[in-house]
């Protein structure tokens, strides 16, 4: 096959086939274009203020490694004057995070950026290894997801940084759009497609005293339009050093299926990925705004099995609760009670048991996961959106989506983190963990 | 005599795929070529049958080709520009398989 020339420089051999427009270009033209497109995303959405301190959520994986490299390059080239810092979370997973943190340290050295590592151990008194030893391998992603969300904010606050950027790419967002579509969760779908997801009180809290606290950290995704394929190609051609492995505790559940679907679509029609993202954004405009959303439940687009996005997290929580119940009746395992969740299930069950919408949503919710076949006997209704539904009068939810009465943000009375409940989710999980601590060593299969 | 020739190739697995191939990124492979110049499809079959010790074959190959989400580079160019599985391998070609499926 005769080698084709790059469509841009008309000189080098074409090496990249761009998924979004089938352009055939060479590696140098590609890396320049990739950087330029990220710059356009950033500038057109006014993501940064000149001189802003920005923390890059760095895991050592391909996405955050590319993001750090591109931002460092652009910051100098575009003269944004940003004060960049790498922020890593050490979940305490031996054999996984310890290796990827080494990659982050090498990146920090290569890019000459300061690095801050905050660990679950120091923030919560529990590493994920300890959590898993306590509760077993199932359902632990819930803990990890809830802890991580807060950990990034807490880490940013420690650094006095009010803005955290993450490496979420178009494929991640497309997955999340599909998942929320399949779950019938339009509000969450809407949040997943936002480039910026500030905590709602961010603006106010900041103007009050100008100080960054963990409750006013802004989040953004500068690579929301970048294909995963191009991120990997960028890393390859720039010879970036990244770490790739799956979390040893991560299950392949609902997100895994959405991911496979996206990758299969990409092979047939690569434009599909950006089209799903754009459709998600269009749908988001049709969803009434819920500005008072709980930050813990906001936009945890991610790749850890089902855990980092909140719907799955809640579903995982329910699964966990049920496993605990089963385990308790069998006399094995440790029970970690979350009074709020189980109470909600019951209330919802009675309020919605005969609602057509509920049945339909439940069906959509149960099927793709493939893990919850036994759910029906235990909790008749398991909607990921149930906290919101509960706050509304029983009935059809669609027209009542605006201003759910209890969605108002307060602060956790234990730790001060943003929460719509008296005690935030992390504190509730910790309470369960700490109560059960003496039982360490008992494990659920 | 000509039947027993082989084509020397450099194969690289990255992005997490190396875990399926004895945790080794670079491999020198002499691809047996009983028929005239084997193509990438032949190579994939060969790698799957001979080089891959991990039993999780579907992490690499699915429905007769590399799993969607795994990128293939032929001499540092996207294999989609080179005819994908039908590309006729040449001696000393460098083939890279990169997984995009692993987390970060």
């Amino acid at each position: 096959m005769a080698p084709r020339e790059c469509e841009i420089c008309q000189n080098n051999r074409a090496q990249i086939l761009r998924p979004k427009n089938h352009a055939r270009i060479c590696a140098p033209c590609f890396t320049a274009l990739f950087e330029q497109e990220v710059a356009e995303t950033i500038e057109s959405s006014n993501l940064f203020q000149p001189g802003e301190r920005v923390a890059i959520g760095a895991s050592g994986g391909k996405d955050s490694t590319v993001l750090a490299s591109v931002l460092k390059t652009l910051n100098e080239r575009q003269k944004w004057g940003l004060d960049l810092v790498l922020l890593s979370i050490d979940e305490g997973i031996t054999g996984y995070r310890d290796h990827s943190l080494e990659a982050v340290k090498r990146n920090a050295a290569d890019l000459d950026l300061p690095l801050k590592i905050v660990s679950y151990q120091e923030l919560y008194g529990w590493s994920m290894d300890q959590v898993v030893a306590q509760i077993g391998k199932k359902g632990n992603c819930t803990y990890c997801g809830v802890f991580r969300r807060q950990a990034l904010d807490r880490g940013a606050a420690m650094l006095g940084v009010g803005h955290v950027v993450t490496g979420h790419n178009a494929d991640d967002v497309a997955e999340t759009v599909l998942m929320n579509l399949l779950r019938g969760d339009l509000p969450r779908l809407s949040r997943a497609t936002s480039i910026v997801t500030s905590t709602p009180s961010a603006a106010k809290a900041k103007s009050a005293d100008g100080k960054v606290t963990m409750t006013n950290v802004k989040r953004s995704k500068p690579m929301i339009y970048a294909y995963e394929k191009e991120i990997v190609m960028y890393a390859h051609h720039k010879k970036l050093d990244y770490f790739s492995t799956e979390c040893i505790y991560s299950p392949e559940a609902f997100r895994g299926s959405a991911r496979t679907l996206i990758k299969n679509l990409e092979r047939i029609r690569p434009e599909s990925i950006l089209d799903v993202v754009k459709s998600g954004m269009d749908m988001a405009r049709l969803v009434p705004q819920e500005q008072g959303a709980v930050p813990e439940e906001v936009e945890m687009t991610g790749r850890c099995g089902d855990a980092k996005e909140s719907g799955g997290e809640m579903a995982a929580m329910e699964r966990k609760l049920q496993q605990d119940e089963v385990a308790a009746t069998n006399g094995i395992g440790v029970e970690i009670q979350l009074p709020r969740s189980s109470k909600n299930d019951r209330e919802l069950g009675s309020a919605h048991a005969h609602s057509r919408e509920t049945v339909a949503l439940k069906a959509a919710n149960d099927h793709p996961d493939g893990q919850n076949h036994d759910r029906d006997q235990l909790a008749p209704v398991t909607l990921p959106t149930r906290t919101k539904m509960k706050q509304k009068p029983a009935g059809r939810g669609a027209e009542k989506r605006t201003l759910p009465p209890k969605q108002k943000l307060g602060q956790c009375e234990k730790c001060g983190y943003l929460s719509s409940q008296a005690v935030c989710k992390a504190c509730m999980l910790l309470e369960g963990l700490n109560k059960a601590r003496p039982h360490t060593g008992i494990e659920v299969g | 005599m000509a039947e027993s020739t082989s084509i020397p190739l450099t194969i690289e697995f990255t992005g997490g795929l190396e875990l399926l191939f004895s945790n080794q990124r670079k491999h020198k492979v002499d691809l047996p070529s009983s028929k005239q110049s084997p193509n990438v499809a032949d190579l994939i079959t060969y790698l799957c049958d001979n080089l891959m010790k991990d039993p999780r074959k579907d992490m690499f190959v699915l429905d007769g080709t590399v799993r969607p989400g795994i990128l293939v580079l032929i001499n540092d160019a996207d294999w989609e520009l080179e005819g994908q599985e039908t590309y006729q391998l040449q001696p000393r070609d460098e083939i890279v398989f990169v997984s995009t499926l692993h987390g970060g």
Side-chain angles (χ1 to χ4, degrees):
Chain A
M1 182 171 282
R4 288 174 183 249
E5 285 169 358
C6 168
E7 285 175 20
I8 295 175
C9 66
Q10 313 269 323
N11 185 27
N12 301 333
R13 178 178 70 122
Q15 286 169 277
I16 315 278
L17 179 65
R18 297 206 73 191
K20 67 174 184 183
N21 57 11
H22 304 271
R24 295 153 187 267
I25 56 180
C26 67
C29 287
F30 163 71
T31 47
L33 199 55
F34 183 89
E35 288 160 3
Q36 188 191 321
E37 289 178 359
V38 175
E40 277 163 16
T41 303
I42 289 167
E43 288 177 347
S44 68
S45 48
N46 294 315
L47 228 48
F48 302 131
Q49 306 298 313
E52 190 176 359
R53 294 200 73 192
V54 176
I56 302 165
S59 66
K62 58 185 184 328
D63 300 300
S64 57
T65 301
V66 167
L67 179 64
S69 169
V70 170
L71 283 185
K72 166 89 179 177
T73 305
L74 289 176
N75 190 34
E76 285 162 13
R77 188 187 299 159
Q78 313 282 113
K79 302 200 173 21
W80 287 334
L82 300 177
D83 185 0
L84 297 171
V85 52
L86 298 174
L87 173 59
S88 282
I89 307 300
D90 182 1
E91 295 92 346
I93 304 176
T94 312
Y96 166 65
R97 189 49 88 206
D98 41 357
H99 296 316
S100 56
L101 282 175
E102 290 308 309
V104 178
K105 286 175 194 165
R106 290 194 298 269
N107 284 331
D110 291 347
L111 296 171
D112 192 24
L113 291 176
L115 165 65
K116 167 84 180 169
I117 300 174
V118 275
S119 71
Y120 284 6
Q121 182 70 54
E122 68 183 280
L123 288 179
Y124 307 112
W126 286 81
S127 70
M128 276 312 290
D129 284 342
Q130 291 169 331
V131 171
V132 171
Q134 178 96 296
I135 67 157
K137 285 202 174 184
K138 288 181 181 170
N140 66 77
C141 287
T142 303
Y143 292 76
C144 202
V146 170
F147 289 169
R148 183 183 300 102
R149 169 78 206 180
Q150 289 200 8
L152 273 175
D153 287 349
R154 288 172 192 271
M158 285 178 197
L159 291 165
V161 176
H163 190 167
V164 177
V165 291
T166 55
H168 292 112
N169 57 46
D171 296 51
D172 295 332
V173 175
E175 270 167 33
T176 309
V177 167
L178 277 185
M179 287 165 68
N180 288 318
L181 196 62
L182 294 171
R183 280 198 286 251
D185 192 346
L186 284 178
R188 214 158 261 140
L189 180 150
S190 146
R191 289 191 294 269
T193 55
S194 315
I195 297 181
V196 180
T197 48
S198 310
T199 41
S201 60
K204 270 179 261 159
K206 219 170 184 179
S207 58
D209 61 358
K211 230 181 105 193
V212 177
T213 70
M214 64 182 169
T215 59
N216 60 13
V217 177
K218 172 178 163 184
R219 293 286 187 97
S220 65
K221 319 186 205 30
M223 301 201 300
I224 191 171
Y225 298 120
Y227 276 78
E228 192 156 60
K229 174 181 173 179
E230 298 205 327
I231 288 171
V232 170
M233 285 293 95
Y234 185 88
H236 176 81
H237 289 293
K238 295 275 280 190
K239 299 194 170 23
L240 299 179
D241 173 14
Y242 67 88
F243 182 80
S244 44
T245 183
E246 282 309 293
C247 171
I248 52 173
Y249 298 137
S250 156
E252 260 222 7
F254 195 25
R255 181 172 285 279
S257 307
R259 198 167 167 69
T260 305
L261 179 57
I262 286 283
K263 295 295 180 198
N264 287 334
L265 284 172
E266 180 182 28
R267 189 155 280 185
I268 301 163
R269 185 178 170 277
E271 301 90 317
S272 300
I273 292 180
L274 267 188
D275 285 346
V276 170
V277 173
K278 284 174 188 155
S279 300
M281 289 174 167
D282 287 343
M283 281 187 272
R285 275 196 285 276
L286 303 173
V287 179
Q289 285 300 305
E290 286 181 284
Q291 281 305 325
V294 190
E296 287 174 273
E297 294 179 342
V298 167
E299 178 270 326
M300 294 196 198
T301 326
R303 219 184 267 110
C304 283
D306 240 358
K308 282 199 297 192
E309 90 296 329
S310 42
E313 184 188 298
M314 297 309 284
M317 169 84 74
E318 282 151 8
R319 244 175 277 140
K320 168 75 186 115
L321 285 168
Q322 287 162 25
Q323 281 156 11
D324 287 346
E325 268 183 62
V326 173
T329 28
N330 295 343
I332 49 163
V334 181
E335 188 175 7
I336 294 164
Q337 276 297 348
L338 278 168
R340 183 180 67 123
S341 290
S342 36
K343 196 170 138 241
N344 280 359
D345 283 346
R346 257 174 262 127
E347 284 181 30
L348 248 184
S350 57
H352 287 268
H354 306 296
S355 137
R356 194 160 43 90
E357 180 195 35
T358 305
V359 174
L361 280 173
K362 186 172 90 65
N365 199 33
D366 272 356
H367 172 63
D369 212 314
Q371 286 195 357
N372 305 323
H373 303 303
D374 57 342
R375 238 198 232 171
D376 303 41
Q377 305 112 39
L378 294 157
V381 179
T382 46
L383 292 176
T385 51
R386 73 205 187 298
T387 35
K388 263 170 248 126
M389 310 258 311
K390 181 192 159 217
Q391 289 144 7
K392 291 169 216 148
R396 305 278 306 177
E399 64 276 20
K400 301 186 186 92
R401 277 222 168 89
T402 43
L403 298 177
K406 269 176 73 183
Q407 195 68 318
K408 254 194 272 159
L409 272 178
Q411 289 190 327
C412 170
E413 59 192 35
K414 287 194 166 180
C415 72
Y417 193 77
L418 290 169
S419 175
S420 64
Q421 309 290 329
V423 177
C424 77
K425 234 191 270 173
C427 285
M428 275 201 297
L429 292 174
L430 281 173
E431 197 182 314
L433 283 173
N434 291 333
K435 251 187 217 160
R437 196 153 215 167
H439 300 295
T440 309
I442 306 173
E443 211 173 305
V444 188
Chain B
M1 292 295 269
E3 288 138 30
S4 60
T5 52
S6 63
I7 297 185
L9 301 167
T10 305
I11 311 293
E12 189 173 352
F13 300 98
T14 67
L17 268 184
E18 61 271 27
L19 298 171
L20 299 177
F21 290 86
S22 320
N23 214 0
Q24 186 186 329
R25 287 177 71 141
K26 286 213 175 186
H27 299 255
K28 292 278 181 198
V29 168
D30 285 312
L31 183 66
S33 55
S34 51
K35 57 173 180 172
Q36 276 193 334
S37 47
N39 61 22
V40 174
D42 299 323
L43 172 68
I44 292 166
T45 309
Y46 177 84
L47 294 177
C48 209
D49 294 345
N50 296 282
L51 197 61
M52 188 174 180
K53 303 280 181 273
D54 197 293
R56 294 170 292 173
K57 305 287 184 192
D58 65 333
M59 303 275 280
F60 180 53
V61 172
L62 210 60
D63 299 327
T65 185
V66 288
R67 189 187 175 97
I70 295 176
L71 307 179
V72 186
L73 300 176
I74 299 171
N75 299 323
D76 232 11
D78 192 331
W79 75 329
E80 292 179 73
L81 297 171
E82 307 286 340
Q84 287 168 276
E85 291 97 338
T86 63
Y87 171 83
Q88 307 277 305
L89 290 157
Q90 307 298 319
R92 288 170 300 284
D93 273 348
E94 292 183 9
I95 314 293
V96 183
F97 297 90
V98 196
S99 173
T100 66
L101 300 169
H102 287 76

